[in-house]
């Protein structure tokens, strides 16, 4: 049975039906499919053009599920929600096994993206330093885990697993889009730098986070930030 995954397309109008966009959940699922070696077809969804034939086809094939990622496998009912898709892929394609039995690996960096989003969307200059500090604290926790508790190059050993697929899209948003507000991951967090350097050796990562995708991440955050672009603290 063929596997089709509907993912968010690029923010670029000319590439929206051709390239993966900036949705962390979509990026997560694509990474997992690549790591498992599952042949799959990507359909790129334009969330802003709901009157197009492509959108109508998306709604029809996904039975009204309106938020990618959505997975279709053969004649089975479409699966939405990234966690549900991950569970289905693990059950249906058990090899290689990407599950982690290390509890702390499964929750590593779980608050990073929410702290990052609050910082990026903030439009009140007086709050910027506090939000930046909260983000740095979460990065410090991740750095300490990678430095002291991780048994290998990644969150749970020397192979990318499900926790990495969950964390990496969010970490890449921080690394790529943080620059829009003058934020970079502090140099002293060497374990994070090593982690990202090691992931760049992995084909599943490189094929998911291409230069066009990184550009799209920035463009996506520019749209989300609005008035916060005027916040420049500590540049």
């Amino acid at each position: 049975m063929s596997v089709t995954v509907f993912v968010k397309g690029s923010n670029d109008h000319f590439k929206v039906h051709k390239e993966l966009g900036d949705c962390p959940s979509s990026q997560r699922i694509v990474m997992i499919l690549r790591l498992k070696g599952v042949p799959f077809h990507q359909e790129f969804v334009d969330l802003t053009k709901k009157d197009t034939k492509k959108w109508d086809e998306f709604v029809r094939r996904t039975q009204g599920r309106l938020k990618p990622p959505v997975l279709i496998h053969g004649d089975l009912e479409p699966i939405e929600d990234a966690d549900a898709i991950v569970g289905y892929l693990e059950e249906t394609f058990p090899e290689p096994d990407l599950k982690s039995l290390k509890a702390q690996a499964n929750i590593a960096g779980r608050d990073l993206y929410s702290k990052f989003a609050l910082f990026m969307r903030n439009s009140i200059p007086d709050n910027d330093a506090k939000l930046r500090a909260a983000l740095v604290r979460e990065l410090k926790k991740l750095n300490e885990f990678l430095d002291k508790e991780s048994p290998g190059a990644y969150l749970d050993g020397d192979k990318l697993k499900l926790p990495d697929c969950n964390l990496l899209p969010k970490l890449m948003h921080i690394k790529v889009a943080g620059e829009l507000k003058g934020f970079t991951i502090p140099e002293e967090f060497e374990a994070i730098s090593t982690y990202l350097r090691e992931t760049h050796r992995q084909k599943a990562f490189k094929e998911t986070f291409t230069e066009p995708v990184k550009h799209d991440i920035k463009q996506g955050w520019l749209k989300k930030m609005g008035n916060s672009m005027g916040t420049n603290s500590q540049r």
Side-chain angles (χ1 to χ4, degrees):
M1 295 188 293
S2 61
V3 172
T4 298
V5 60
F6 286 87
V7 294
K8 181 180 180 293
S10 172
N11 291 305
D12 187 324
H13 173 71
F14 297 103
K15 299 177 181 178
V16 68
H17 294 305
K18 300 177 181 179
E19 294 181 358
L20 180 64
D22 60 340
C23 168
S25 294
S26 294
Q27 293 158 351
R28 174 188 180 191
I29 299 305
V30 171
M31 274 193 70
I32 292 170
L33 286 165
R34 293 189 184 282
L35 285 171
K36 284 189 168 292
V38 177
F40 68 99
H41 175 66
Q42 293 183 87
E43 289 281 359
F44 304 105
V45 180
D46 182 356
L47 297 180
T48 67
K49 300 290 185 181
K50 298 184 180 181
D51 58 343
T52 65
K53 291 182 180 179
K54 280 275 189 179
W55 176 264
D56 292 340
E57 176 71 4
F58 168 60
V59 173
R60 182 186 68 79
R61 292 192 63 193
T62 64
Q63 299 178 17
R65 275 89 168 161
L66 303 183
K67 186 178 179 181
V70 177
L71 186 87
I72 297 178
H73 188 200
D75 297 326
L76 299 179
E77 183 176 347
I79 305 170
E80 59 182 332
D81 180 77
D83 289 340
I85 293 173
V86 171
Y88 176 80
L89 291 175
E90 272 299 297
E91 180 179 349
T92 308
F93 306 99
E95 297 298 332
D97 184 0
L98 301 181
K99 295 189 297 296
S100 171
L101 300 180
K102 189 176 179 65
Q104 291 305 307
N106 284 312
I107 63 172
R110 65 178 175 180
D111 294 326
L112 265 178
Y113 196 71
S114 61
K115 300 296 184 185
F116 176 67
L118 286 172
F119 168 66
M120 293 293 282
R121 292 175 185 269
N122 175 52
S123 59
I124 304 174
D126 288 346
N127 292 341
D128 220 39
K130 177 178 67 175
L131 295 171
R132 179 187 292 262
L135 173 58
V136 171
R137 283 195 296 272
E138 293 303 317
L139 286 166
K140 183 179 180 181
K141 291 179 187 177
L142 175 61
N143 189 76
E144 289 177 348
F145 174 81
L146 289 167
D147 186 39
K148 299 176 182 179
E149 298 185 50
S150 172
Y154 307 115
L155 291 176
D156 186 16
D158 289 325
K159 293 183 179 180
L160 291 174
K161 295 184 179 180
L162 295 182
D164 300 290
C165 295
N166 188 31
L167 174 65
L168 280 166
K170 300 168 185 177
L171 199 54
M172 287 302 295
H173 275 242
I174 295 172
K175 180 177 174 60
V176 172
E179 297 176 1
L180 296 171
K181 285 191 72 172
F183 182 84
T184 56
I185 297 174
E187 291 183 3
E188 62 263 31
F189 296 159
E190 295 180 2
I192 293 179
S193 297
T194 301
Y195 176 66
L196 287 172
R197 185 166 59 249
E198 290 298 318
T199 59
H200 277 82
R201 302 176 189 273
Q202 298 291 328
K203 186 177 180 181
F205 176 86
K206 291 190 292 186
E207 291 178 345
T208 307
F209 292 95
T210 61
E211 288 305 316
V213 170
K214 293 176 185 177
H215 175 75
D216 206 68
I217 288 172
K218 279 191 176 181
Q219 293 304 307
W221 274 103
L222 280 172
K223 294 178 181 179
K224 295 173 186 174
M225 288 165 67
N227 292 334
S228 65
M229 280 302 293
T231 303
N232 270 343
S233 65
Q234 297 185 32
R235 279 202 177 189

